[in-house]
Amino acid sequence: MALVVALGATTLAACGDSKDDTAAGGPTTIVVDCPPQKTDNNGKSLQLWNDDVAAFQKAHPGVTVKTVSVGSQCDNPPDFTARLQGGTQADLFYGYMTDLDQVLDADAAEDITKYITADTIPNWDKVLPSIKDPFIDNGKTYGIGYAGYGLGLVINKKLFQQAGLDPAKPPATWQEVAAAAKKISALGNGIAGYQEYSAGNTGGWHFSAALYSRGGSVVSDDGKKAAFNTTEGKAVLQQLHDMRFTDNSVGEKQLLQWADLLTNAGAGKVGMYVGAPDTIKAIVTQFKGAYEDWAIGPMPGDNGPAKTTLGGGSGYFFKKGLSPAQIKAGLQWLAFEEFTPGQGQFNYVAQKGMGVPVGLPEPLIWKPGTDVQKQDDELKKANSNLNLADYAPYADNPVTIKAEPPRAQAIYAVLDAAMSAVLTQPGADINALLATAEQKVNTILSQES
């Protein structure tokens, strides 16, 4: 039976020390973090996870999978860093695609390259390189990516209709976003037509996304210099400043992080925001929203379609010091839960049977045209219980995905300052903000090189 327990640092370390038993051929225990929250889908998602753990353990006698929650945001950057520094992360610990540098700096992950085989993860050759590469350094693999996304424009259908806008046609340009936001915010009652992040590294993340959509880049092609102090970078900040202090269409409350914005969205107070399809799930499962209120379109561009959209995702790192048996068991668990159509995250039959929504255009992990990609699509469509038309603008108009920059989290932290300034200071000097950020990012990149 699956054990979902709240473990402290001492307990986590003790569970990780089970490698001594496995080395002697004894039972193998692995601790995995980031199970669904008890509140997700009224506990149904957690029940599905627990059922998967039980099924996996039955198929792999001698392997015990223990899971530990690290909060609703599995990788809250300050908490993640604290766990790395304290060595209290789980055996398989969740991380973003941008976390590899930090993990390696802390010497916190095991090289698992030689353990990745057709036996441990049978469908690994069908997975997109963009999902694998962020966990590889100098040819060595330290983690397994299992979820990918491309950012789009998420809209509140109900507010669009109330403002006289067509929810079947999400704004396709940033100019249209501004015009629609003004109409939506005019509804009053504390509603923001468009809302944006500006703290906790999320502001820099979304600055980068908006920059990409306009054809800009955060760093130079060789990754050695900042490249955002440009016409495109200034356009990102200028539009947000105008929407805050000319139209007030982004709301007065700023310095928002991930949960803040989605809490507002779940309360029906946000008309639009930049996000991936999984944020719609979060709005519903964690922040009391409703699926029927939300749709998603492609990332807007500047006076036309977006040039690119920021893509990223997440995966699991393997804690430094795990035994070979634990590494193999961890890979087998991930193969079962994250890479097999009809099982784990792709078990749409079970999800639909329990009333868990099926049909969001996620995760983006399979190579197009492969047998598993086709099988996954067919299973999802056959078991969908959502209105797929709400996601068609996004799914049918894919935007080229551009990866996050090197040292992304450190760069995002710097760019938070520019984002927060233009959203809180009427007299914000955009040129000075970008020049300061450029200098700081160049320092970060020079230290990396």
Side-chain angles (χ1 to χ4, degrees), residues 222-244:
D222 60 9
K224 295 182 178 180
K225 293 286 185 180
F228 52 76
N229 189 3
T230 60
T231 300
E232 293 81 11
K234 292 173 185 177
V236 173
L237 297 182
Q238 188 65 59
Q239 175 160 357
L240 288 174
H241 187 268
D242 292 346
M243 292 175 74
R244 170 66 183 90

Side-chain angles (χ1 to χ4, degrees), residues 72-389:
S72 60
Q73 187 178 349
C74 291
D75 187 352
N76 182 359
D79 295 341
F80 182 82
T81 299
R83 287 195 293 274
L84 289 182
Q85 296 301 322
T88 60
Q89 71 272 31
D91 297 333
L92 271 67
F93 61 99
Y94 176 98
Y96 297 139
M97 288 182 175
T98 54
D99 285 327
L100 180 60
D101 288 333
Q102 182 182 185
V103 169
L104 294 180
D105 286 346
D107 194 25
E110 193 72 39
D111 174 9
I112 60 172
T113 311
K114 67 181 181 181
Y115 299 100
I116 302 173
T117 67
D119 291 329
T120 53
I121 304 185
N123 288 323
W124 192 236
D125 62 327
K126 315 291 178 57
V127 176
L128 289 165
S130 59
I131 300 298
K132 301 177 182 180
D133 292 347
F135 298 90
I136 299 173
D137 181 72
N138 289 324
K140 296 179 180 180
T141 300
Y142 296 91
I144 299 295
Y146 72 91
Y149 68 82
L151 293 175
L153 184 70
V154 183
I155 69 166
N156 185 314
K157 294 164 55 183
K158 185 181 295 185
L159 294 181
F160 261 63
Q161 291 169 338
Q162 292 175 7
L165 300 166
D166 185 356
K169 297 179 180 179
T173 68
W174 286 111
Q175 291 75 20
E176 292 175 5
V177 168
K182 188 174 182 178
K183 290 182 179 180
I184 295 169
S185 63
L187 296 172
N189 197 28
I191 293 171
Y194 175 84
Q195 203 155 66
E196 189 54 277
Y197 299 127
S198 55
N201 297 12
T202 58
W205 172 42
H206 273 203
F207 171 88
S208 301
L211 181 69
Y212 283 2
S213 74
R214 290 170 164 86
S217 183
V218 177
V219 299
S220 57
D221 290 343
D222 60 9
K224 295 182 178 180
K225 293 286 185 180
F228 52 76
N229 189 3
T230 60
T231 300
E232 293 81 11
K234 292 173 185 177
V236 173
L237 297 182
Q238 188 65 59
Q239 175 160 357
L240 288 174
H241 187 268
D242 292 346
M243 292 175 74
R244 170 66 183 90
F245 293 105
T246 301
D247 298 337
N248 197 24
S249 58
V250 294
E252 295 182 1
K253 186 177 181 181
Q254 298 300 328
L255 305 181
L256 303 177
Q257 299 188 44
W258 185 83
D260 303 319
L261 193 156
L262 297 186
T263 298
N264 296 340
K269 299 297 185 179
V270 180
M272 295 172 285
Y273 67 91
V274 167
D278 69 319
T279 60
I280 298 176
K281 183 186 294 183
I283 287 173
V284 177
T285 60
Q286 299 180 38
F287 303 104
K288 312 301 183 183
Y291 279 103
E292 57 266 26
D293 291 342
W294 297 94
I296 184 170
M299 189 72 173
D302 188 21
N303 289 305
K307 300 293 194 299
T308 60
T309 188
L310 184 147
S314 54
Y316 278 100
F317 293 96
F318 285 63
K319 186 178 181 179
K320 186 82 170 191
L322 294 184
S323 70
Q326 285 178 299
I327 294 172
K328 291 176 183 177
L331 290 170
Q332 289 170 338
W333 161 249
L334 292 178
F336 180 95
E337 183 66 11
E338 313 294 359
F339 295 103
T340 305
Q343 287 183 184
Q345 69 166 326
F346 303 114
N347 191 346
Y348 306 125
V349 173
Q351 292 167 19
K352 183 179 181 180
M354 292 185 68
V356 174
V358 176
L360 287 170
E362 59 165 6
L364 302 176
I365 70 170
W366 303 121
K367 292 179 180 178
T370 56
D371 56 343
V372 290
Q373 184 266 326
K374 294 176 182 177
Q375 183 182 359
D376 182 37
D377 280 354
E378 290 171 358
L379 286 170
K380 183 181 291 183
K381 290 178 181 178
N383 292 282
S384 176
N385 51 14
L386 297 175
N387 182 5
L388 297 183

